[in-house]
Amino acid sequence: MLIRTKSSLDIPSSEITPEAVYHSRRSFMGLGLGIPAGVSLLSSAATVHGQNSTARTAADLNLAAKPRWLQQKLQGEPVVAASGSSLAKESLTPFEDVSTYNNFYEFGTDKTDPSTRAENFSVDPWSVEVTGECVKQGKIALEDLIKPHFLEERVYRLRCVEAWSMVIPWIGVPLGEILKKLEPNADAKFVEFVTLVDPKQFPEQGSRFATIDWPYREGLRMDEAMHPLSILALGLYGDVLPAQNGAPLRLVVPWKYGFKSIKSIVRINFRKDMPRTTWSDLQPSEYGFYANVNPAVDHPRWSQAAERRLPTAGLIPSRVPTLPFNGYADDVASLYAGMDLRRFY
Ligand code: MTE
């Protein structure tokens, strides 16, 4: 079962002008299946996506990136659509942009590298190693980690530190639910996430010119990780995650710059101390551990006051003001009470 549990935390689907395909999926579900308004089946979603959207990319059709159990879970379970909220109307970023304008440096640094190079990326079987300050240590198959949980749809803004943004309908599981069942102990103050190392699949990991010291690593304070807005995403736009978006499992922390949302996770490590993270290791004066979206604190090389919302219509980029905590301040600002956000950027 796929349940929308949030009311004020995310951008409501009901107030969004969705991509045509996504919209038609919802009306299809409402009209055709004789189930209550707002409740839908993702099996229909997948079918309607497949039939109506001629613009889906070859990489999206990559079957190696679609574990069968996850496809079956997505197809078999009802969705409860979003209810209203106080947030403003915003359009979903079309699937084509979400899946072809990517940052995934393991595939290359150009925005199109991930979608063009991830075609054969294989994610099945996939497991996650759990280590550090917790009871349930060891390797756990992704299926065992995720299958017992309800999937939820969360429509979130994604704000990259490079000052572009999207609005994406993710499918995932609250991160806190997963962490809780791994039974972190009282010493677990931070949680670290690590991406797969596999130079055969990630060409940049084998490159002599790569600037990143692989694997890509990220981390959160435990209270950030347990916050109900933080999710582990397994899908978007009603289907399994395309490889270029971090299949089969990625983090989504919508109030932080996109680089915190680490892709293709293979390790979860509970720690006493703050973990080192890829971007703050590379350039500590430009990228901090917290990385909360903050229009008042500029990147040393560009302003963070506004963002370019994708897609760009014609030649003129659509600029929107950047909001504190990416618009989620009511939900998360209290996590940072008393902290100097200029210092802890
Ligand atoms: N995770 C890994 N492993 N490698 C990366 O290069 N890039 C990050 C983040 N997660 C990245 C990553 C950055 S900078 C951004 S903005 C988002 O992924 C982009 O996510 P998207 O391509 O799905 O929009």
Side-chain angles (χ1 to χ4, degrees):
M1 198 184 291
L2 198 130
I3 301 174
R4 294 295 309 244
T5 52
K6 293 287 162 288
S7 54
S8 65
L9 296 183
D10 48 5
I11 302 167
S13 297
S14 57
E15 293 193 6
I16 283 168
T17 314
E19 183 191 15
V21 173
Y22 192 65
H23 200 59
S24 69
R25 160 200 152 183
R26 287 179 173 248
S27 7
F28 176 90
M29 293 183 283
L31 290 172
L33 300 172
I35 48 180
V39 178
S40 50
L41 283 175
L42 278 180
S43 50
S44 334
T47 313
V48 173
H49 265 302
Q51 286 174 351
N52 291 5
S53 177
T54 50
R56 290 182 80 103
T57 64
D60 180 56
L61 300 175
N62 169 16
L63 296 178
K66 296 188 171 191
R68 255 179 95 72
W69 66 268
L70 183 55
Q71 271 185 294
Q72 281 166 358
K73 187 170 170 66
L74 278 163
Q75 288 171 1
E77 301 184 348
V79 183
V80 178
S83 54
S85 117
S86 55
L87 289 173
K89 294 184 183 186
E90 293 176 62
S91 299
L92 291 180
T93 302
F95 175 83
E96 286 68 34
D97 298 82
V98 172
S99 60
T100 58
Y101 188 92
N102 297 104
N103 275 340
F104 200 164
Y105 279 55
E106 287 84 340
F107 288 113
T109 51
D110 284 354
K111 294 288 181 277
T112 53
D113 284 342
S115 56
T116 54
R117 295 182 176 175
E119 280 173 12
N120 299 314
F121 188 68
S122 173
V123 303
D124 201 17
W126 192 273
S127 57
V128 176
E129 195 182 0
V130 180
T131 52
E133 303 295 335
C134 69
V135 175
K136 299 274 169 64
Q137 300 190 358
K139 224 177 206 179
I140 176 163
L142 184 64
E143 182 172 357
D144 297 334
L145 189 69
I146 299 299
K147 216 173 174 178
H149 297 267
F150 292 141
L151 296 173
E152 298 180 19
E153 183 178 76
R154 301 283 186 94
V155 180
Y156 284 158
R157 300 181 197 90
L158 176 83
R159 169 51 158 94
C160 180
V161 75
E162 298 163 346
W164 53 263
S165 64
M166 303 192 188
V167 179
I168 302 176
W170 301 105
I171 290 171
V173 176
L175 174 62
E177 269 184 32
I178 302 289
L179 297 187
K180 226 181 283 167
K181 78 176 183 185
L182 302 176
E183 298 181 39
N185 64 36
D187 285 333
K189 304 291 185 228
F190 294 87
V191 56
E192 176 181 27
F193 302 89
V194 182
T195 294
L196 174 74
V197 176
D198 184 354
K200 286 205 186 90
Q201 299 217 72
F202 287 140
E204 283 302 304
Q205 289 183 339
S207 161
R208 284 190 295 129
F209 305 106
T211 46
I212 291 179
D213 181 18
W214 311 109
Y216 194 101
R217 293 169 186 277
E218 259 308 332
L220 296 171
R221 232 171 42 191
M222 276 306 276
D223 59 342
E224 298 177 317
M226 299 307 289
H227 192 281
L229 276 180
S230 300
I231 61 167
L232 284 173
L234 296 115
L236 56 80
Y237 264 115
D239 204 345
V240 173
L241 271 184
Q244 57 269 36
N245 292 95
L249 183 74
R250 70 168 297 166
L251 189 65
V252 178
V253 190
W255 70 94
K256 293 179 177 286
Y257 291 120
F259 67 82
K260 296 295 289 183
S261 291
I262 181 173
K263 298 176 171 182
S264 305
I265 296 167
V266 291
R267 185 168 165 219
I268 296 176
N269 183 30
F270 294 97
R271 300 174 61 119
K272 293 182 181 148
D273 56 337
M274 183 182 278
R276 290 169 55 191
T277 56
T278 290
W279 283 100
S280 68
D281 255 11
L282 264 177
Q283 202 52 268
S285 61
E286 300 190 350
Y287 310 102
F289 175 82
Y290 285 94
N292 293 317
V293 174
N294 190 344
V297 176
D298 286 338
H299 186 279
R301 290 181 280 133
W302 59 84
S303 165
Q304 295 291 26
E307 63 208 50
R308 179 170 55 91
R309 175 62 54 84
L310 275 86
T312 300
L315 293 174
I316 305 162
S318 87
R319 309 272 308 162
V320 295
T322 290
L323 301 172
F325 298 103
N326 204 21
Y328 303 100
D330 287 352
D331 302 298
V332 300
S334 60
L335 296 175
Y336 310 100
M339 281 175 66
D340 177 355
L341 297 178
R342 289 188 173 275
R343 188 165 156 230
F344 297 104
Y345 53 89

